[in-house]
Every structure is written in structure tokens, then in C-alpha cells.
Amino acid sequence: MVGHDALLDQRFMSLALALGRRGLGNTWPNPAVGAVVVRHDGEPVIVGRGWTQPGGRPHAETEALRRAGEAARGATLYATLEPCSHHGKTPPCTDAIIAAGITRVVSAIEDPNALAGRGHALLRASGIVVDVGVGAAEARRAHAGHIRSVCDHRPHVSLKLAVSADGKVGLAGRKPAPITGEAARERVHLMRAMNDAILIGIGTALADDPQLTCRLPGMASRSPVRVVFDAGLRLPVTGALVRSARATPVWVMAGADAPGEAEAALVARGVEVFRLPATGGRLDAALRVLAERGITRLMVEGGPTVAAALVAADLVDEAVLLRGPSPIGADGIDALESMPLTALTDSPKLRSLGVETIGADTIETFERA
């Protein structure tokens, strides 16, 4: 970084990261990248901004360069991920960067995708100065879905749990109970908008008849794919999920031996059904299916059974624990089936990023250690 202002680099990368976050949940199967073009003629001037567009194209770098136009010549490009170098459905970003006359590229992190990961080498070979690592920690969080998909062939899994003051998630008999206030519920809707898909088990679908959409004003289009883990295909065709399947996709993960007539009834109403193998880890198989379909960020709002299965299988990459102020009582439903909540909160696999107060509730976020 010799000869360059590290604080300015950090400032412009922070802007690129903020721009990239606009695309979270909306760009799969591609990562949600942010990019900024800055001229450093005396006082730095931002001449172009871009972020990955819905569906993953155009890419952030080409968007920023398009907006910069001729002003990109001799400028610096800040990008939250190594610019792509391969011909996919769009030409490589490296070609556009070289053609635009950019003289320096600052990337937060390298791309783990071997196909895309020659971008920095190609840029350097063309005489462009490349610096890597500014804002790396935040970029790894922003691109966690892309990294997990490339490296582990599954989505980044975020487990959301709303628990009472005494660690319960529902009333006796698996009846739902209001646990958190309006501000915390709005946060959950924002989380939905920033994930590609949302997963529940059939128990939650039957008990709650949820919509699982993003119901913040003006953000219905940002609702994730709704995924139901339903080995026996018991999802009712009269429920809220199936009734809205043509507006917001519903995917059902079924067992190999689930009844064919139930599948036909769901498919007729716009639901996609995936058959998982009869033996082996169905959870692993379901996550692989989702990754193959382009899902990189999966939010889990399922009940105690699904949550406990994910914790036991060490598949929780991030956990968001919303705690309400009131207890439910000893006969309430535990947050994790057959295991204490401390299996999550005290797990050596996870570390707490801190507790935030929101209204009368608290939100604690954990990430993989």
C-alpha cells in the first residue's frame, strides 16, 4: 500500500461494501459485489458506483465503469471481490477494467472460485497496480454465501431463533406464541430480504401456516425462495405457502418414498418438489440440492427439530438469537429438540459478535469461530 492513503482506501471500500449489500438475497447464484471508481487528481472524486444487479448480472464493476464513462481512465477501482476473469453469461470484468483505462484496482478479497480467480493476475499482467486485503473481514462476511458455495458446495446457513426469557419458542402443544416486539420482527423481515432462501420443517408449516415473505413496505419482491423440509409430503395445498407459490417460489424437500399423488397436487399449484435419497444424510443432501440450484445464503426459521438437527450436524454458520422479555413457562417448547440452548450459545464452533437491544428485546449474533 506504499504511496497510497490507507484511510482513503478504507473509506472507499466501506462504500463499495455498503453498495454491495444492496444486492444480498437478490443476486444469486452470483455474489453481491459492490464497486466504486475514484479519480485521485488532487482531492479524490467518486465518478462511478455499481453493485451486482438482480439475478446476478450485470456485475458491479461493469456497472460502476459504465457510470464513470471516460472519467474511469487513470482512475482507481475499488471492488469487494476479485473481478471475474472468465467468460460466463457476460464478458469478463477484467476485460472491461483494462479497456476502461483503470490504473489501480483495490480488492477486498480474492475469489475462491478457480474459474473466476485469475482476475488479479490478468490485471497485473496488463500493468494495472492491484492491492488486496482492504476491508477483508467485512468482505468475507458479505460474501460468505459465495465462499461457502464454492468451497463446501452448500449455502451459508443462518439460523434464526426467537426465544422467550426462559429459552422457549412456543406454547405447550407446539402452539405459536408472540415472543418479540414489532422492531425485532421488522429485523427478521430485513434478514429474509437479504437471504436467497428460507427453510422451515413441516412441523412449523403445519403449526404456524406461515407466509415467510418479506413484508416491509415496498419489499415484497425481495422475498426469498421458501423451502420446506417435508419427507412425507404433508404440506397442505390450502396453506398460505402453496396458495402463494406462483408469486414467490416454494420448494419442497421430500423423501424418496413420499406419495406421488401428493407431489402431483403440489406441482399442479406451482410448487417444486425435490426427492432426497432414502438413506444417508437428508440434511446434507437438501443443502447440496439448494447449492446446485444457485442458493448461496439460506436462512433457517424452522422449529426445534430442524434447528437441533443443524446444530448437531455442525451446519450452522451464523445464528441470530432474538430474546423476548417475558417467560413462557416450564411447559413451553424448548428452542432445540432434545438439547439445551447452550448447545448453540456455548458451542466452541460459534463465537458471539455481541448483543444489541431493540425495543424490549435483545438480538445476539453468533458466527462460525
Side-chain angles (χ1 to χ4, degrees):
M1 303 290 292
V2 175
H4 300 293
D5 188 322
L7 285 175
L8 278 179
D9 282 349
Q10 189 65 57
R11 175 180 146 201
F12 292 124
M13 186 61 75
S14 293
L15 173 58
L17 286 158
L19 292 169
R21 279 193 292 272
R22 295 180 179 189
L24 286 176
N26 204 30
T27 66
W28 61 278
N30 290 346
V33 176
V36 183
V37 180
V38 181
R39 292 192 66 86
H40 289 276
D41 308 328
E43 283 297 307
V45 177
I46 296 168
V47 294
R49 309 169 193 234
W51 53 94
T52 310
Q53 295 299 292
R57 295 180 302 275
H59 291 183
E61 298 92 330
T62 53
E63 281 289 284
L65 292 170
R66 179 179 64 79
R67 290 189 168 100
E70 274 303 307
R73 196 156 299 281
T76 297
L77 173 78
Y78 294 85
T80 62
L81 182 68
E82 179 176 4
C84 71
S85 60
H86 67 293
H87 283 270
K89 294 184 177 177
T90 55
C93 287
T94 48
D95 287 4
I97 293 167
I98 294 164
I102 291 288
T103 56
R104 179 178 176 237
V105 170
V106 181
S107 289
I109 56 174
E110 294 177 340
D111 194 331
N113 185 347
L115 263 179
R118 294 182 304 116
H120 290 151
L122 287 171
L123 293 171
R124 287 184 176 117
S126 72
I128 295 173
V129 174
V130 177
D131 290 312
V132 184
V134 177
E138 194 177 343
R140 278 192 288 271
R141 287 195 185 99
H143 298 308
H146 174 66
I147 295 166
R148 186 70 60 192
S149 178
V150 169
C151 297
D152 294 341
H153 311 293
R154 67 168 178 82
H156 175 82
V157 176
S158 297
L159 174 62
K160 182 231 92 179
L161 290 174
V163 302
S164 62
D166 52 352
K168 307 294 183 179
V169 294
L171 301 171
R174 297 201 180 263
K175 294 186 177 70
I179 291 173
T180 56
E182 188 59 36
R185 287 195 289 273
E186 286 183 1
R187 179 69 63 88
V188 171
H189 284 279
L190 185 60
M191 288 169 57
R192 289 175 179 176
M194 297 173 76
N195 280 276
D196 308 338
I198 185 167
L199 171 72
I200 62 169
I202 185 60
T204 299
L206 295 174
D208 297 358
D209 191 26
Q211 298 178 56
L212 303 180
T213 50
C214 176
R215 294 191 293 282
L216 294 175
M219 292 185 68
S221 65
R222 297 294 297 265
S223 294
V225 174
R226 285 89 53 85
V227 182
V228 184
F229 212 65
D230 181 14
L233 284 180
R234 294 187 288 145
L235 188 67
V237 295
T238 55
L241 287 169
V242 178
R243 290 201 315 272
S244 60
R246 296 197 190 280
T248 304
V250 175
W251 298 354
V252 174
M253 300 290 159
D257 53 356
E261 59 273 20
E263 177 177 352
L266 291 171
V267 169
R269 288 161 175 83
V271 175
E272 278 197 70
V273 176
F274 300 86
R275 298 278 183 157
L276 302 180
T279 57
R282 285 186 175 179
L283 207 48
D284 284 324
L287 294 182
R288 276 197 305 276
V289 167
L290 293 177
E292 287 163 6
R293 290 297 302 267
I295 299 298
T296 67
R297 294 170 60 89
L298 177 67
M299 178 178 172
V300 179
E301 281 199 56
T305 305
V306 170
L310 286 165
V311 172
D314 188 24
L315 289 170
V316 176
D317 301 308
E318 184 179 331
V320 179
L321 190 64
L322 300 97
R323 284 188 187 269
S326 304
I328 282 179
D331 59 348
I333 304 299
D334 288 332
L336 301 174
E337 189 80 36
S338 303
M339 61 172 71
L341 186 56
T342 51
L344 177 78
T345 58
D346 294 349
S347 169
K349 304 289 179 65
L350 298 168
R351 64 165 173 258
S352 173
L353 298 181
V355 180
E356 175 188 356
T357 300
I358 180 165
D361 307 311
T362 63
I363 301 179
E364 186 171 9
T365 304
F366 300 82
E367 69 175 12
R368 190 173 282 279

